[in-house]
Amino acid sequence: DTGVSQNPRHKITKRGQNVTFRCDPISEHNRLYWYRQTLGQGPEFLTYFQNEAQLEKSRLLSDRFSAERPKGSFSTLEIQRTEQGDSAMYLCASSFIGQGAFNEQFFGPGTRLTVL
Amino acid sequence: DAKTTQPTSMDCAEGRAANLPCNHSTISGNEYVYWYRQIHSQGPQYIIHGLKNNETNEMASLIITEDRKSSTLILPHATLRDTAVYYCIAKRNFGNEKLTFGTGTRLTIIP
């Protein structure tokens, strides 16, 4: 399968611990996005990268959150000192921006985080 | 992005056409209408998008009113696998990369 993959699929942690999620985009996709989704709500944008550059960050992304895409391929999202309010599904998406006007985002299956 | 309004939930009989409405009365001239859906426990999936002309692909048809203030997504022959949350999003194609999801319409296909 050559879609977007995310690991782990599920993560349970205790409040105050740090967690890191990984996203592997579709090969050759130059844009990568992170979203967060809580129960009953649609996904909310967190941040996105073009190649290795982080171009936009939502105000939802507090100082405890950091995202990287060091070589313009996979990305990691780290949450430090987790809080119960961080419990959510974290979704990654990728797209290719070229000369065409359309930018379809392909989503991964998500990482479900539960903070106890 | 223009705000979109959708019904919270809808039912449709299997094999019938599912018509999902979306209101986007404040849409601007350079904003497209996108539809994504999210099947339980999966990430969202692109369905279709359009600017002002009606569009059709292998998954669905999109009908946009002439004033562009509303649109309808049509799944012509709904199957049980079409049960999902459907999101209507208004977005420019350039200069605004994030998708702004609302709460969507939960479509249930009934056998």
Side-chain angles (χ1 to χ4, degrees):
Chain A
D1 191 312
T2 56
V4 178
S5 61
Q6 293 187 246
N7 288 288
R9 294 292 309 277
H10 303 274
K11 178 71 177 178
I12 300 174
T13 191
K14 293 183 178 179
R15 189 177 55 178
Q17 298 295 304
N18 299 343
V19 294
T20 300
F21 311 139
R22 176 178 171 127
C23 171
D24 287 89
I26 293 171
S27 178
E28 299 181 356
H29 275 192
N30 50 12
R31 287 206 171 165
L32 187 147
Y33 310 77
W34 286 99
Y35 292 81
R36 180 175 71 184
Q37 185 173 26
T38 54
L39 201 60
Q41 302 298 312
E44 296 172 293
F45 171 80
L46 292 178
T47 188
Y48 88 93
F49 294 83
Q50 176 151 333
N51 299 314
E52 65 275 11
Q54 189 172 18
L55 296 188
E56 186 175 349
K57 291 166 56 174
S58 163
R59 58 176 180 266
L60 292 175
L61 215 63
S62 76
D63 291 345
R64 297 184 296 106
F65 288 70
S66 62
E68 294 183 343
R69 194 183 183 199
K71 297 182 180 179
S73 56
F74 73 91
S75 175
T76 58
L77 177 67
E78 181 183 17
I79 309 174
Q80 296 182 326
R81 305 181 302 282
T82 52
E83 301 173 356
Q84 288 184 324
D86 297 331
S87 294
M89 176 76 82
Y90 289 83
L91 292 160
C92 175
S94 70
S95 68
F96 178 76
I97 293 295
Q99 292 186 345
F102 177 47
N103 168 20
E104 177 182 348
Q105 294 185 23
F106 293 82
F107 283 80
T111 294
R112 180 167 295 284
L113 172 67
T114 302
V115 181
L116 302 176
Chain B
D1 297 336
K3 179 179 169 57
T4 61
T5 304
Q6 300 177 252
T8 303
S9 63
M10 293 180 63
D11 293 339
C12 178
E14 187 178 16
R16 302 296 294 269
N19 296 278
L20 291 89
C22 179
N23 180 284
H24 32 79
S25 58
T26 61
I27 196 169
S28 59
N30 61 355
E31 287 184 314
Y32 287 70
V33 179
Y34 285 78
W35 284 83
Y36 277 74
R37 74 179 182 184
Q38 188 172 24
I39 295 170
H40 184 61
S41 296
Q42 297 182 22
Q45 175 192 24
Y46 165 80
I47 302 172
I48 198 168
H49 77 289
L51 184 62
K52 53 184 177 181
N53 297 321
N54 297 339
E55 302 287 345
T56 296
N57 62 20
E58 65 277 5
M59 288 183 70
S61 295
L62 175 60
I63 308 298
I64 303 175
T65 59
E66 193 169 343
D67 62 9
R68 302 209 327 121
K69 293 185 176 182
S70 65
S71 60
T72 301
L73 178 75
I74 301 172
L75 308 178
H77 304 288
T79 71
L80 297 178
R81 287 178 294 182
D82 292 321
T83 292
V85 178
Y86 287 76
Y87 298 99
C88 170
I89 299 167
K91 189 181 89 65
R92 287 174 286 139
N93 262 0
F94 293 105
N96 177 16
E97 300 309 323
K98 59 181 177 283
L99 293 168
T100 302
F101 293 85
T103 52
T105 295
R106 181 172 298 278
L107 176 67
T108 303
I109 305 302
I110 300 170

